[in-house]
Amino acid sequence: MKISIHRSRRAATAVALGAALALTATACGDDGSGAGGDKGADGSGKGKIVFWDNNGGVRTDIWKQVIADFEKANPDIDVEYVGIASTEYQSKVDTAIQGGGLPDVGGITASMAAAIAAQDALEPLDDRLAKSSLKGELNTSMVESLKSAGGGEALYSIPTSANNGVLYYRTDLFKAAGLAEPTTWDAFYTAAEKLTNSGKNQFGYTIRGGAGSIAQALDAMYGQSGITSFWNGDKTTVNDPKNVAALEKYAALYKKVTPAADLNNDFTKMVAQWDSGTIGMLNHNLGSYQDHVKAFGAGKFRGIPQPVGASGKRVQVSNPVDGIGMFKSSKNKDAAWKFIEFATSQAENSKFNESAGQVPSNTKAAKDAWIDKAEPTKLAAQALSDGSTTIVQLPYYLPDWGTISKSDNEPNFQKVLLGKLTAKEFLDTFAEQLNTAQAEWKEQKG
């Protein structure tokens, strides 16, 4: 079967186009801190700094608490909080890079680090981190994920949290069926089949076939194959025969042990479907934990790290890591760094992530008492820090990663579920697009 191949745009073209489109968005007022490329200044370490929250509304209350704590500990620094919705944040930053008005500090996630760094708008933070109280206290995999996402040459964002992947399962249904906990992929497949009675509308698993399906499919592939790197030289491992076999097995679950509606389910529909109470297992992240508590109560389900493969090791793809970056144009970088350092200290990072329900980046915060009361977060934090998990870093640094992993291949993954495309055809297409994008990115870097 012949499949059309999307040709990646060159990095410079992607950045320029994104910036041009962003200029049509509503610009924020100029706070005097300049535009992208402005070298800024260290400043006095006192006075005013501006902080842009990349998840305004959702995280506004907790950030205001952190800021209040910071201003109390640093009475000679004032922090102006600006909350921006996550869907608008990238365009606001791009607009300010071109026209001025960048803040001193702002949220920089793994998925946006490369695009902003490519416009020469972010300050490298490696040296400041090496000399700070945070040295040796941050989760290594989160730091590596953000550094890789920015292109691998510098760290442009200090991690605050990770929203790790979780396998939720109904403990009451497993107990009634005499099933072992799905800590291995073999146990997962056995449970998915045994818990299914389609005539009674009971299913062992819900698979994500709509928006966001690719990341979940990649997690299942690498988790089963045990392949620990996304690249082998300049070629992706996505279509390695072991990954092809893993995807064939995973995709075969559709309609056999899953509802037919899964074909079009994004995370909200998938979570709501699981919470209706007729499905045994769900792959999602820590963000839906409270929804499940409301649906079942804490005693009827568990959220555990992803299953381990045949080797006995857990392999999973990198989950979104959130962080705080410093904009190069800041005229008060020393004060901006004080805020970043304070916000990711044990006490504040713990407070932030207890509110957000995510894994703290500060390893001391990950051992605080509240973690014991939120079991999925506790287990995820342990898995990310105890050496039991290998993280396969996704190529967030590629300008076309978002296009390739969403609009180009989500429809093709649906064809795999429907049996209209083989797993090999799908992954070969995916691999060709990735290899092209990687080659163009390397050429652009020079």
Side-chain angles (χ1 to χ4, degrees), residues 1 4 51 72 94 104 143 148 189 191 230 246 265 272 284 290 305 309:
M1 180 179 295
S4 61
F51 167 60
K72 184 177 180 180
D94 287 340
D104 300 276
V143 173
S148 172
Y189 281 109
F230 198 79
N265 278 357
H284 193 232
Q290 292 300 331

Side-chain angles (χ1 to χ4, degrees), residues 99-350:
L102 282 168
D104 300 276
V105 183
I108 302 294
T109 66
S111 61
M112 67 178 71
I116 299 175
Q119 298 178 77
D120 197 29
L122 293 174
E123 180 81 3
L125 299 175
D126 306 78
D127 289 345
R128 289 182 185 270
L129 177 60
K131 298 173 184 176
S132 82
S133 60
L134 294 173
K135 182 181 179 181
E137 290 196 3
L138 298 178
N139 184 290
T140 302
S141 67
M142 295 188 200
V143 173
E144 289 176 351
S145 183
L146 281 173
K147 190 162 187 173
S148 172
E153 295 178 357
L155 180 66
Y156 294 109
S157 182
I158 301 299
T160 56
S161 54
N163 200 357
N164 208 47
V166 176
L167 178 60
Y168 293 103
Y169 74 98
R170 290 283 302 278
T171 51
D172 54 344
L173 299 182
F174 270 67
K175 184 177 180 180
L179 288 165
E181 187 176 42
T183 54
T184 67
W185 282 101
D186 285 344
F188 164 83
Y189 281 109
T190 297
E193 186 170 350
K194 193 165 184 179
L195 291 174
T196 297
N197 187 334
S198 55
K200 294 184 177 180
N201 198 36
Q202 297 171 352
F203 299 95
Y205 184 58
T206 173
I207 197 168
R208 189 167 179 171
S213 61
I214 301 301
Q216 188 176 98
L218 289 171
D219 226 7
M221 286 162 43
Y222 282 91
Q224 294 174 81
S225 72
I227 295 171
T228 57
S229 176
F230 198 79
W231 300 101
N232 181 9
D234 291 331
K235 302 297 182 183
T236 181
T237 58
V238 156
N239 62 336
D240 183 282
K242 291 181 180 179
N243 276 334
V244 172
L247 185 61
E248 286 174 346
K249 188 172 184 179
Y250 183 71
L253 295 174
Y254 176 63
K255 286 182 73 173
K256 180 181 177 184
V257 299
T258 80
D262 282 359
L263 182 69
N264 296 303
N265 278 357
D266 59 12
F267 86 88
T268 54
K269 293 176 183 175
M270 182 179 66
V271 167
Q273 186 172 260
W274 195 67
D275 287 344
S276 69
T278 61
I279 302 172
M281 294 179 290
L282 161 77
N283 270 118
H284 193 232
N285 57 46
L286 295 167
S288 60
Y289 175 68
Q290 292 300 331
D291 292 326
H292 311 323
V293 172
K294 291 176 184 176
F296 306 119
K300 290 187 177 180
F301 77 96
R302 287 190 77 196
I304 61 175
Q306 300 287 42
V308 300
S311 67
K313 293 283 288 184
R314 180 180 299 105
V315 177
Q316 64 182 63
V317 299
S318 52
N319 279 274
V321 176
D322 209 346
I324 318 174
M326 182 192 304
F327 287 93
K328 185 177 288 189
S329 59
S330 170
K331 302 298 192 293
N332 203 353
K333 293 178 184 176
D334 285 350
W337 175 255
K338 287 180 183 178
F339 177 70
I340 293 173
E341 188 176 32
F342 183 88
T344 47
S345 65
Q346 178 182 356
E348 299 304 317
N349 191 240
S350 183

Side-chain angles (χ1 to χ4, degrees), residues 33-39 96-102 120 328-329:
S33 61
D38 185 340
K39 294 183 179 179
I97 288 172
Q98 298 301 312
L102 282 168
D120 197 29
K328 185 177 288 189
S329 59

Side-chain angles (χ1 to χ4, degrees), residues 12-24 90-91 94-95 98 119:
T13 304
V15 170
L17 179 59
L21 291 173
L23 287 171
T24 64
Q90 182 80 55
S91 66
D94 287 340
T95 298
Q98 298 301 312
Q119 298 178 77

